[in-house]
Amino acid sequence: MSAPAVPPTVTPPSEPSAMGGRASKSSFGAESTMSLLVDSLKDRLLFAVPKKGRLMEKTLELLAGADIKYNRAHRLDVALVQNHPIALVFLPAADIPRFVALGSVALGITGQDVIAESTHAEQITELLSLGFGKCSLQVQVPVTGPIQTVEGLSGGRIATSFEVLAAELFNGKEGVDSKTDKKTRVEYVGGSVEAACALGMADGIVDLVESGDTMRAAGLHAIHTLMKSEAVLITSKTPHSTLTPELSSLIPLIKSRFAGVLASKRYVYASYNIERKNLDKALQITPGRRAATVSPLDTEGWVAVSAMVERKEVAKVMDELERTGAEDILIMALDNCRVGV
């Protein structure tokens, strides 16, 4: 007698999902996160900062010194500041001038070189020089090459990542050299520009130079400097209509805090006692940032002097004060300060 047949197992069809199952749940979550982020940007001042490189490192140090606290989620280029109505927007340094000029963000930190290259300089106000990212934009040619002047490069080939500034230098607004009527070919090279001459791609280059070591190693030297550059705090000459008076008041606050942080790194606080008859000589050594503070002492004919002194000159200043007759010379580091800007 045969066993009864086992009915086949039928797997019920899965219910259709309008959101597409697990993947759609992930998309929905991302969409929700982005929506929440966009909503959280309302009523906040947008501040563009470099997203990579040395400029970013120095900018983050400056933000920390100014007590601007934030949390930045992994792979997210927007961070909300915890103790102020500010949102940091991490952007490539070269893009920041355009975002600031158009009023998309209220503040930005970037280099003067990229501001000039962006062609938005007329729409931007530089609020504060930040003292880092210092470099020079130079024309460089091979040391042993036949061309050793800018005029000699006219009609030749230039490799650079600064196409706008290089074209203005060699071809002017008319597109050709006004003296020779020759058009110089300006070729864009995104990186390792210093190799272009050795590879036969160019007769000269236009590139940023910090120490000059890289250029010397490539057998190049400078024959012209287009501009000197450093990082600056910038804003638009025409603020966006959404920038309320409350948010606008944050701009001078940030500028003042940054100036204080920079001053505390540049200066130290010097204090000493000296006989009044030697005071004039001592004040020539320590004039202070604006003026020194002089206070009388209980001892007849003596005064106490305090002044801000440049950190790099401290040892020299102490030696000169001692020779002038100063005593009890103290040097104190500044953790932070406000200097008025």
Side-chain angles (χ1 to χ4, degrees), residues 124-169:
I124 288 173
T125 297
E126 293 186 10
L127 296 176
L128 186 66
S129 296
L130 301 178
F132 57 84
K134 291 185 176 182
C135 54
S136 298
L137 186 62
Q138 296 180 333
V139 180
Q140 299 256 345
V141 297
V143 175
T144 58
I147 300 174
Q148 295 298 315
T149 64
V150 172
E151 292 75 18
L153 288 169
S154 179
R157 299 165 301 161
I158 301 297
T160 183
S161 58
F162 291 85
E163 293 177 283
V164 173
L165 294 175
E168 286 181 359
L169 173 67

Side-chain angles (χ1 to χ4, degrees), residues 31 48 50 89 91 103 148 171 177 213-214 226 233 243 255 278 309:
E31 183 180 347
V89 184
L91 296 171
Q148 295 298 315
N171 298 326
D177 189 307
D213 292 343
T214 301
L226 282 76
L233 177 68
L243 191 62
K255 178 183 175 182
N278 296 324
V309 175

